[in-house]
Amino acid sequence: MTLCPLLIMNSRLRSCFGLILVGILSSGVARAEDGYRLWLRYDRIVKPAQPTFYADALSHIVLATPAGTDSPTITAARDELMTGLSGLLGIKADITIEGSVPNAACGEEGYSIQMAARGSISTVVITANHDIGVLYGAFTLLRHVQTDGLINELAVTETPRIQRRILDHWDNLNRTIERGYAGFSLWDWFQLPDRIDPRYRDYARANASIGINGAVLTNVNADALVLTDPYLRKAAALAEAFRPYGIRVYLTARFSAPADVGGLKTADPLDPAVKAWWAAKAEEIYQIIPDFGGFLVKANSEGQPGPQDYGRTHADGANVLADALAPHGGIVMWRAFVYDHHVPDDRAKQAYNEFHPLDGKFHPNVVVQIKNGPVDFQPREPFHPLFGAMLRTPLALELEITQEYLGASVHLAFLAPMWKECLDADTFASGHGSTVARVVDGSVDNHPLTAIAGVANTGTDRNWCGHPLAAANWYAFGRLAWDHTLSADRIAGEWTRMTFSNDPRVEGPIQTMLLASREAVVDYMTPLGLHHLMATDHHYGPGPWVDNLRPDWTPVYYHRADERGIGFDRSATGSNAVGQYAPPVAKIFGDLATCPENLLLWFHHVPWDYRLSSGRTLWDELCLHYQSGVERTRGLQGTWASLAGLIDQERFDHVRVLLSRQERDARGWRDACLQYFQTFSHRPLPAGVEPPEHPLQYYKDVHLHYVPGTPSGL
Ligand code: GCW
């Protein structure tokens, strides 16, 4: 028999050892906040709102479905509740599974949470028609406790507004991630399907906690290899790890796959052999992954193959894949982000020009996936005109969670306010009130298939998203995908409480920082509707002078600064991109007097001395916006500094360093852009704008090497 070493020590030694142990446990090592737990930290709530009530009600929980039986998903719900409640409140809950009658109000994925008295025992009952609803209900209950909500007021029945809530991973099979700033791909393709990294389960848990129910595993700049048997088996292993959490896998389909890996001579979608190849491929995939979600396709864009290579349309291409998937219940998400080798008169018009004529021509299991704005995920864009122009086609909204154009994982930019701007925009597709959100959730045109996608910001970094505050964007995407009516404010508050603390001294300042951050980025990068001013390839720093690429890849094409003024004339006298919007919208955007100032230079070429609503000239206002962007980053630093001692040192230091780099970068953007634009405006910087630190040439000479996420690696 071996005696525990602690027992054979004398009592003095024992207490000394005990002290050391306590010391270690309470030191940074044992309590490190490395961000791995994301918003699912279940640390003890110091002063719960209703301690005795909690203890009473949450000690008995019933999970009820019509089937009334256990399953991996119900087990996941029970495990999460046990872990969560014991961590948050020290409660060991008694959780039972019961049968229930179907509840139409809960739909396919929804749930109802009610308090019920069972004899003298008060109980929380989570009811759903399917197991996944119970899991979502469990996460809602935990969020309520974690954010210190009043549990006796908890009576919720909820269903998601959009059916397919998907993360698009731009992950390559070699584990690099296009526009990924948080390490390498989570998917260890080489070791799959043998090794199931425990992280896969934590990834699925985090997604389920915010209602995400799909993951496209691979980059839209696709490798056809993923459609071959060995890779399908790897994808199947991931699907199995995610399944209890309600997450289906999808893959990107390279349009030339029938030729690339199928041995055919063509990928012409109307060729019978090609049709047969896709049908057989779908059959094979569903043998291996029975609940496979479908394909995401980027075709005839940025060098990707597509149906136009054979003189066919996007609809011809999408439909051949859709027909192959239809017998198995799969869908095609066909992207409208098209960027072909012809230089258009206005790049912002291209997607509409190609897709609007195809409205009504797609098969029912195709959804056309459209970025929020017509150019490319810029810090501010107007909503994409296609949302108002394809009533006969289900349309998915594609958002970019990863901060390709908003400072990567170095800058703080909370994106919920930006996404709300798009979701709440009125397209007038079918009269007033046809917001982008209502087009996407199907309520404007009654489409049964609805979807929303977010380009993921996850990677192998310990904290998942690189910047300790960037997970707020992953969280916000899931919450808005579930319910687009939630406010950015509420989402910021929830995330902060769960990720940091319910202490108002912490919650308030972080929430304020989050909400202010995106506008700060707009101000120091692309104020007043400017866009696409970034350096080539890595898209991190400023490059407004770049003019040596094909025209519509260059900033000069977009800002059009000259001696007269600045901005892209997209009004009726210019490219008439405004004509792609419904008349009431076109009227507002198309008129310099009514165009919102924050989109002014998107739609108009404006003289330098044009007076804005402030009474200042355009030049002065532009300069002051850049200056204000810098000042806002200083504001973020100041607010963060006030949290010293209130949050853990690890995250505090990490964010502090990043905010200081953000302020330096903001100065760089301001000084580079203003000095460059000054070569056209010939006007002095107005009072209040700090003089540039270096001459223009200094900024032109900056060359950043090996910026993460850059496809060419330059
Ligand atoms: O924003 C651009 C990116 C490309 C990306 C492309 C797309 C995956 O710079 O890296 O490619 O959009 O959305 O297809």
Side-chain angles (χ1 to χ4, degrees), residues 100-112:
S100 66
V101 288
N103 179 351
C106 292
E108 288 293 309
E109 295 177 291
Y111 55 82
S112 167

Side-chain angles (χ1 to χ4, degrees), residues 530-546:
L530 286 173
H531 49 289
H532 209 291
L533 299 185
M534 67 290 166
T536 311
D537 278 329
H538 56 67
H539 300 170
Y540 183 78
W545 46 80
V546 174

Side-chain angles (χ1 to χ4, degrees), residues 523-602:
D523 268 351
Y524 62 72
M525 286 188 185
T526 52
L528 297 172
L530 286 173
H531 49 289
H532 209 291
L533 299 185
M534 67 290 166
T536 311
D537 278 329
H538 56 67
H539 300 170
Y540 183 78
W545 46 80
V546 174
D547 61 359
N548 58 352
L549 308 165
R550 61 176 257 190
D552 58 337
W553 287 0
T554 64
V556 296
Y557 170 94
Y558 292 95
H559 63 66
R560 310 208 161 193
D562 57 22
E563 309 290 314
R564 228 170 36 82
I566 181 170
F568 198 133
D569 184 2
R570 295 189 165 111
S571 73
T573 57
S575 77
N576 198 27
V578 290
Q580 297 184 334
Y581 290 94
V585 183
K587 194 160 175 284
I588 295 172
F589 287 157
D591 184 344
L592 187 54
T594 53
C595 181
E597 282 187 358
N598 61 15
L599 289 172
L600 202 64
L601 306 179
W602 185 284

Side-chain angles (χ1 to χ4, degrees), residues 170 178-179 181 219-221 298 301-302 304 335 337-339 347 371 375-378 398 400 404-405 455 534 537 539 709-711:
W170 286 355
E178 183 149 353
R179 313 308 176 186
Y181 311 106
N219 190 355
V220 287
N221 291 334
K298 171 176 178 178
S301 179
E302 299 186 318
Q304 293 299 299
R335 296 177 85 225
F337 177 75
V338 282
Y339 212 149
R347 155 99 189 94
K371 291 188 180 183
V375 170
D376 192 9
F377 296 138
Q378 296 300 295
E398 180 177 307
E400 196 178 43
E404 177 181 355
Y405 297 101
V455 180
M534 67 290 166
D537 278 329
H539 300 170
T710 309

Side-chain angles (χ1 to χ4, degrees), residues 301-323:
S301 179
E302 299 186 318
Q304 293 299 299
Q308 293 173 347
D309 302 348
Y310 309 94
R312 315 296 183 196
T313 68
H314 282 290
D316 295 330
N319 291 341
V320 70
L321 300 186
D323 292 351

Side-chain angles (χ1 to χ4, degrees), residues 13 21 75 127 134 170 172 308 329 336 381 445 517 558 560 603:
L13 258 178
L21 198 67
T75 301
T127 320
V134 169
W170 286 355
N172 300 311
Q308 293 173 347
E381 297 197 25
D445 34 21
S517 56
Y558 292 95
R560 310 208 161 193
F603 287 112

